[in-house]
């Protein structure tokens, strides 16, 4: 009898594990660079064409009071992936004699090896993980995405303006990496969105039978703008509108593939930005919000955010609750019913109740603090904001 029972027990365990894996939602996080609050049709833009993102909002929840944790690239990305304010992950570095807000090519600094990032946590939960696009959290080998929980990486390790440019003679060639290998130097930037999208689609196809996490961080709409001709020709807002449309096209391709594979009902899709728009002559907009990228006024840190999760999030819903980029990490942990430890400290909160429209669900943030990297400049409590 024992020879029958043991295999049956093993079969039951494997079946339970399989069911548990099937119930874990896939996660696709689309992260746009420098996209402003007023740059999408669903946020009021009358200049940029964003039909696919607008449809995403129609199918999910649009947030009016979502905040990045910083008005500049490196610290905002660190906060997104660690769930903590940027000051907890110090990038207090100097570029020559000048204090730098972001990491530059060749800097020794990067994320500490002991940081437990979101992709590492998800790997422990059985997820396949991939990062496509801009990293900007350290370009030395020990700081690359593959050393921080990503099974694969395809993209550029810092901003696209940190390449050989006419006014930056000392800049190194912009590297395109696959995992930890440089596969191209100074690649043509306009077609990158196409190759990024192909890479993302391939990852989804290859991992459709297991839970996956795709972190797709676009080069657009960061300066300088290099956009493929079809988007330029169709744009009503110059090169900037073309860049916004290119990201919209890419989002449409990703969504179509998810639906084609029958994964739509079990996939969380998030679309957001790392900080506000520059609002310069190129055509970006922060809507009615004051301030720009690099500032702790609302326009620098309050950005678009859309979350779609069929069967869990009411289509076409709008939330005015204060939520942040730091909330994704603990929210996923709650959804997976695997609570995070108290150490290290995370400043984000579980906002799954807000996503699901649960009665009485309110922002868990007693206050939100506006940091310019590690310098506190403002605080919001309820509808009131104090800026120092």
């Amino acid at each position: 009898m024992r020879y029958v029972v043991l295999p049956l027990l093993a079969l039951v365990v494997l079946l339970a594990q399989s069911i548990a894996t099937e119930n874990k939602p896939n996660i696709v996080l689309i992260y746009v660079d420098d996209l402003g609050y007023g740059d999408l049709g669903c946020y009021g833009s009358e200049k940029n064409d964003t039909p696919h993102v607008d449809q995403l909002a129609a199918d999910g929840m649009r947030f009016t009071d979502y905040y990045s944790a910083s008005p500049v690239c490196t610290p905002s990305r660190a906060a997104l992936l660690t769930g903590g304010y940027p000051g907890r992950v110090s990038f207090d570095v100097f570029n020559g004699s000048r204090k730098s807000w972001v990491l530059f090519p060749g800097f020794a600094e990067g994320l500490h090896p002991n940081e437990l990032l979101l992709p590492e946590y998800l790997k422990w939960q059985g997820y396949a993980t991939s990062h496509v696009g801009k990293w900007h959290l350290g370009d030395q080998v020990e700081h690359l995405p593959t050393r921080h929980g990503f099974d694969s990486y395809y993209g550029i390790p810092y901003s696209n303006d940190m390449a050989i440019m006419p006014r930056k003679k000392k800049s190194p060639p912009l590297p395109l990496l696959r995992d930890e290998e440089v596969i191209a130097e100074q690649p043509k930037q306009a077609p990158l969105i196409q190759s990024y999208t192909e890479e993302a689609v391939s990852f989804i196809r290859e991992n459709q039978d297991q839970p996956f996490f795709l972190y797709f961080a676009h080069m657009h709409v960061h300066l300088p703008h290099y956009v493929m001709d079809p988007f330029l020709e169709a744009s009503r807002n110059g090169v900037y509108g073309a860049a916004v449309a290119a990201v919209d096209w890419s989002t449409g391709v990703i969504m179509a593939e998810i639906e084609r594979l029958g994964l739509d009902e079990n996939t969380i899709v998030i679309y957001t930005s790392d900080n506000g728009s520059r609002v310069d002559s190129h055509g970006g907009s922060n809507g009615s919000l004051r301030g720009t990228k690099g500032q702790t006024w609302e326009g620098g840190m309050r950005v678009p955010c859309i979350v779609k999760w069929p069967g869990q999030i009411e289509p076409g819903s709008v939330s005015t609750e204060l939520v942040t980029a730091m909330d994704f990490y603990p929210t996923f942990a709650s959804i997976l019913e695997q609570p995070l430890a108290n150490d290290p400290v995370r400043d984000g909160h579980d906002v799954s109740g807000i996503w699901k429209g649960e009665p009485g669900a309110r922002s868990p943030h007693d206050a939100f603090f506006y940091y310019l990297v590690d310098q506190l400049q403002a605080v919001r409590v309820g509808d009131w904001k104090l800026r120092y």
Side-chain angles (χ1 to χ4, degrees):
M1 192 67 176
R2 57 188 287 189
Y3 298 105
V4 175
V5 172
L6 287 176
L8 283 175
L9 284 174
L11 181 61
V12 169
V13 170
L14 288 173
L15 182 60
Q17 290 176 340
S18 175
I19 293 173
T21 297
E22 289 176 0
N23 290 336
K24 293 178 179 178
N26 306 309
I27 301 168
V28 175
L29 175 53
I30 300 171
Y31 207 51
V32 192
D33 201 339
D34 290 2
L35 185 79
Y37 194 84
D39 279 336
L40 302 173
C42 54
Y43 278 84
S45 176
E46 296 180 353
K47 294 182 177 180
N48 301 323
D49 297 313
T50 56
H52 298 295
V53 177
D54 295 347
Q55 185 61 53
L56 193 66
D59 294 337
M61 178 174 282
R62 181 175 64 85
F63 291 87
T64 64
D65 290 61
Y66 166 90
Y67 288 87
S68 171
S70 174
V72 290
C73 294
T74 295
S76 65
R77 292 160 197 269
L80 174 79
L81 295 178
T82 64
Y85 280 111
R88 297 195 188 279
V89 187
S90 179
F91 286 102
D92 189 11
V93 297
F94 285 81
N95 183 12
S97 59
R98 174 178 171 271
K99 188 173 180 179
S100 176
W101 291 348
V102 300
L103 294 175
F104 280 80
F107 276 23
E109 292 83 1
L111 286 171
H112 193 280
N114 291 341
E115 287 289 348
L116 181 61
L117 267 61
L118 173 60
E120 294 173 286
Y121 168 83
L122 291 174
K123 273 184 66 68
W124 291 353
Q125 306 305 318
Y127 279 70
T129 60
S130 179
H131 176 28
V132 176
K134 175 180 171 180
W135 175 237
H136 214 177
L137 291 171
D139 66 344
Q140 303 303 296
V141 173
E142 62 271 22
H143 301 311
L144 292 177
T146 46
R147 303 296 178 99
H148 285 285
F150 287 105
D151 296 324
S152 62
Y153 174 53
Y154 179 75
I156 56 177
Y158 36 75
S159 292
N160 66 314
D161 64 334
M162 297 177 181
I164 297 175
M165 300 290 177
R167 296 182 182 180
K168 296 184 177 182
K169 301 292 186 181
K170 296 182 181 179
S171 298
L174 181 70
L176 177 64
L177 276 65
R178 179 170 293 285
D179 299 330
E180 298 178 3
E181 179 184 357
V182 176
I183 59 173
E185 292 187 354
Q186 204 70 6
K188 290 184 177 180
Q189 293 190 25
L192 275 179
I193 193 165
Q194 183 172 343
S195 58
Y196 281 176
T197 304
E198 291 171 352
E199 183 75 13
V201 167
S202 294
F203 171 74
I204 292 170
R205 288 175 180 170
E206 292 166 3
N207 294 281
Q208 60 182 293
D209 295 326
Q210 65 178 106
F212 60 78
F213 171 51
L214 170 63
Y215 172 44
F216 190 169
H218 284 277
M219 173 187 76
H220 296 314
V221 291
H222 197 287
L223 287 174
H225 299 302
Y226 295 100
V227 191
M228 293 191 294
D229 288 341
F231 301 112
L232 286 169
E233 293 165 1
S235 176
R236 297 180 294 112
N237 189 25
V239 67
Y240 190 91
V244 172
V247 177
D248 183 78
W249 163 81
S250 173
T251 301
V253 172
I254 298 298
M255 295 307 300
E257 186 63 21
I258 290 171
E259 292 171 8
R260 188 187 71 82
L261 295 173
L263 303 175
D264 185 53
E265 295 298 317
N266 196 39
T267 300
I268 299 171
V269 179
I270 298 161
Y271 183 102
T272 189
S273 175
D274 64 342
N275 48 248
S277 171
R278 295 170 179 267
V279 191
D280 54 18
S281 60
H282 292 84
S285 171
N286 289 323
S288 61
L289 302 181
R290 178 181 181 180
T292 68
K293 171 183 178 177
Q295 299 177 338
T296 52
W297 299 111
E298 292 297 283
M301 296 179 63
R302 198 197 304 189
V303 295
C305 180
I306 299 164
V307 182
K308 176 188 176 184
W309 188 10
Q312 300 291 333
I313 293 177
E314 184 71 22
S317 54
V318 177
S319 174
T320 60
E321 295 297 319
L322 191 159
V323 295
T324 80
M326 299 176 290
D327 297 331
F328 291 126
Y329 197 157
T331 298
F332 295 145
S334 173
I335 290 170
L336 295 173
E337 299 181 350
Q338 295 293 330
L340 298 170
N342 294 326
D343 184 26
V345 174
R346 291 183 178 84
D347 302 292
H349 298 279
D350 170 22
V351 295
S352 58
I354 295 174
W355 287 12
K356 297 176 182 179
E358 295 177 357
R362 296 291 180 265
S363 173
H365 293 273
D366 294 329
F368 174 69
F369 300 94
Y370 298 69
Y371 285 95
L372 182 55
V373 191
D374 58 352
Q375 183 185 59
L376 179 63
Q377 294 191 349
V379 60
R380 173 177 168 175
V381 178
D383 292 333
W384 293 90
K385 179 179 179 180
L386 171 66
R387 193 171 188 274
Y388 305 118

